[in-house]
Amino acid sequence: MEAEPTSELIRGQLRRLRLNAELSQEEFGKLVHYSGSQVSAVELGQRPLDRLFLKRADEVLNTDGLLTSLLRMAERDGQPSWFRPWLEAERTAQQLRCYHPTLVPGLLQTENYARAVIRADDMLSDDEVEKRLAVRMDRQSILDQPQPPKLVAVIEESVLRRADEGFRGLMIQQIAHLLECVERPQVSVHVIPTDISTHVGLAGPFTLARGEDGGWVGHLENQLGGATIDNDEEVAILLARWESVRSEALPQRQSTLLMKEVMTSWS
């Protein structure tokens, strides 16, 4: 769902920039590969804001990415209320610790892997899938900041190996992406091998973020959404469980070798 105030701001900015460029809707439409009536529908709010359309508009109007940046803001504002505190904590984190027993963590997912994961919810329309995908990909931009957070992720070997023949090409791409990520000095990925049959982390995924003030907050996911955890006692429990989960995982070098072995076995 779009955040209406921000969406109206985008539409107003689009119209203002088009008029300043002395372009009619028809002229502008030809430049962005849309009809004049489609441009009119976007400006009037009769057509949903489209990332590709706004990207082309930014290029044609030479806005330095203004419109797509505003769309990202609208998408963040349109997130469920339970998710917004975590998005802010993640955005300003100095350090992130992620564990997921069944998936590659969102900050390390490729676009194709993320789309497949989101699309698994058959209650979502194609448009909603793409909106959620755009937000997830946008969240990853924190890793490209001048001073990115230190990200430590722990995943299960079974996550890497869970793929039927039709999914293997996607997983090869995903594992290759993980190997590229760990070449960054601020990212490390540790794998818990399948011969570790049980540990405390299997109770569910969680992420921890340390802010600029040194304090930690946590995030828990579930089938209906999630929750940001800022209670000191509960955060302390999650920090202890992180240490337990991390101790079960292989060191970085061995984890990297294992990821390469899995990828090679499928190539």
Side-chain angles (χ1 to χ4, degrees):
M1 183 181 211
E2 292 177 4
E4 288 305 320
T6 310
S7 296
E8 288 306 309
L9 172 64
I10 296 172
R11 298 180 198 281
Q13 287 283 11
L14 172 64
R15 177 176 173 78
R16 180 183 64 80
L17 290 165
R18 177 181 61 78
L19 292 175
N20 285 348
E22 299 183 347
L23 293 170
S24 69
Q25 291 177 336
E26 288 290 339
E27 293 168 334
F28 180 67
K30 290 178 181 178
L31 294 173
V32 295
H33 312 302
Y34 277 66
S35 68
S37 61
Q38 288 174 317
V39 173
S40 175
V42 171
E43 292 184 352
L44 292 172
Q46 298 167 348
R47 180 187 177 101
L49 293 169
D50 178 272
R51 184 173 291 268
L52 179 59
F53 172 85
L54 292 180
K55 182 176 184 295
R56 289 173 176 165
D58 277 330
E59 293 168 354
V60 168
L61 298 170
N62 194 28
T63 68
D64 197 26
L66 171 66
L67 297 172
T68 49
S69 295
L70 289 172
L71 180 61
R72 285 196 295 270
M73 289 173 57
E75 289 168 338
R76 286 196 298 267
D77 292 344
Q79 293 303 298
S81 58
W82 56 262
F83 196 39
R84 292 175 199 163
W86 175 251
L87 286 176
E88 180 62 19
E90 185 180 74
R91 186 182 66 80
T92 59
Q94 302 294 300
Q95 186 178 150
L96 289 161
R97 298 174 176 179
C98 308
Y99 168 74
H100 206 299
T102 57
L103 297 170
V104 173
L107 290 176
L108 298 175
Q109 292 176 2
T110 64
E111 182 172 327
N112 287 336
Y113 182 95
R115 181 181 286 108
V117 169
I118 296 169
R119 187 166 280 155
D121 184 348
D122 58 10
M123 296 179 68
L124 299 178
S125 66
D126 288 345
D127 185 54
E128 183 61 28
V129 167
E130 292 304 312
K131 285 181 180 179
R132 294 192 182 194
L133 176 65
V135 171
R136 186 165 302 181
M137 294 297 100
D138 183 54
R139 286 169 57 199
Q140 296 182 2
S141 65
I142 63 171
L143 300 179
D144 297 317
Q145 296 174 152
Q147 293 183 310
K150 170 67 176 176
L151 171 62
V152 183
V154 174
I155 60 176
E156 300 284 337
E157 180 182 350
S158 58
V159 171
L160 304 176
R161 295 191 183 277
R162 183 196 291 141
D164 57 28
E165 290 187 9
F167 200 67
R168 287 186 179 179
L170 187 151
M171 278 307 302
I172 290 171
Q173 181 189 61
Q174 176 61 69
I175 297 172
H177 179 65
L178 290 174
L179 292 170
E180 291 175 1
C181 287
V182 298
E183 292 179 358
R184 301 185 182 201
Q186 80 276 15
V187 177
S188 58
V189 177
H190 301 271
V191 181
I192 298 179
T194 52
D195 57 12
I196 305 296
S197 58
T198 184
H199 59 82
V200 70
L202 295 178
F206 64 96
T207 306
L208 289 153
R210 183 172 65 83
E212 295 178 346
D213 61 356
W216 290 88
V217 295
H219 181 68
L220 301 177
E221 298 178 34
N222 59 58
Q223 285 284 340
L224 298 179
T228 299
I229 308 300
D230 56 8
N231 175 276
D232 288 346
E233 184 176 344
E234 293 176 336
V235 168
I237 292 172
L238 289 178
L239 285 167
R241 293 192 176 181
W242 167 262
E243 293 301 329
S244 179
V245 166
R246 175 66 186 84
S247 69
E248 299 286 3
L250 297 171
Q252 181 66 82
R253 182 174 178 277
Q254 290 175 259
S255 296
T256 298
L257 290 174
L258 178 55
M259 287 188 282
K260 289 180 178 178
E261 184 273 318
V262 172
M263 187 171 67
T264 301
S265 71
W266 285 347
S267 300

